[in-house]
Amino acid sequence: MLEKTNRINYLFDFYQSLLTPKQCSYMEMYYREDYSLGEISELLEVSRQAVYDNIRRTEKTLESYEDKLHLLSRFEKRTQIIEKLSETVKDPEAQKYVQQLQDID
């Protein structure tokens, strides 16, 4: 469950600008602010089922964007490579470049 939550949060970070304001609002409340479906439904004055449906649809939308654009998978691969570089490169001058790569993400 935590792994799914982390994945959705990463996908949301990468693709939130492609979502509608309503989708962003639901996802922020549910995943970032840890509101329950019932709390969101009360705040937005919609049914609990409407909140659930919107969140599930938005999750599928985020996964669809990832399937097409691969921003998260590329980020993860870059991060792994940078970590390996950081562990193996001993030259202080080269370490500065590794640090610059880490700072970009």
Side-chain angles (χ1 to χ4, degrees):
M1 180 65 176
L2 182 61
E3 188 173 310
K4 178 188 174 191
T5 299
N6 287 339
R7 178 173 175 79
I8 295 297
N9 277 318
Y10 272 120
L11 291 174
F12 185 62
D13 285 342
F14 282 108
Y15 301 113
Q16 75 181 36
S17 63
L18 301 175
L19 300 176
T20 66
K22 181 179 174 182
Q23 289 172 316
C24 287
S25 176
Y26 279 59
M27 296 301 281
E28 286 216 17
M29 284 190 274
Y30 189 71
Y31 280 103
R32 300 256 166 93
E33 298 172 16
D34 203 28
Y35 282 59
S36 69
L37 297 176
E39 290 170 324
I40 298 169
S41 71
E42 281 182 35
L43 283 169
L44 301 178
E45 298 178 350
V46 296
S47 71
R48 188 180 178 284
Q49 186 64 42
V51 173
Y52 176 82
D53 290 343
N54 186 295
I55 289 170
R56 294 300 164 246
R57 264 194 318 274
T58 304
E59 289 172 352
K60 287 180 183 178
T61 299
L62 291 171
E63 291 291 352
S64 171
Y65 291 152
E66 177 61 14
D67 288 343
K68 292 176 179 101
L69 301 171
H70 310 287
L71 295 179
L72 177 59
S73 62
R74 289 178 184 161
F75 169 78
E76 291 171 336
K77 287 177 187 174
R78 253 190 332 274
T79 301
Q80 289 174 351
I81 291 168
I82 290 170
E83 286 175 6
K84 286 179 184 177
L85 269 174
S86 181
E87 293 169 3
T88 58
V89 172
K90 302 301 179 203
D91 177 38
E93 186 67 25
Q95 274 293 338
K96 285 193 271 184
Y97 294 113
V98 171
Q99 185 61 46
Q100 288 175 357
L101 284 171
Q102 288 172 324
D103 293 342
I104 289 174
D105 290 328

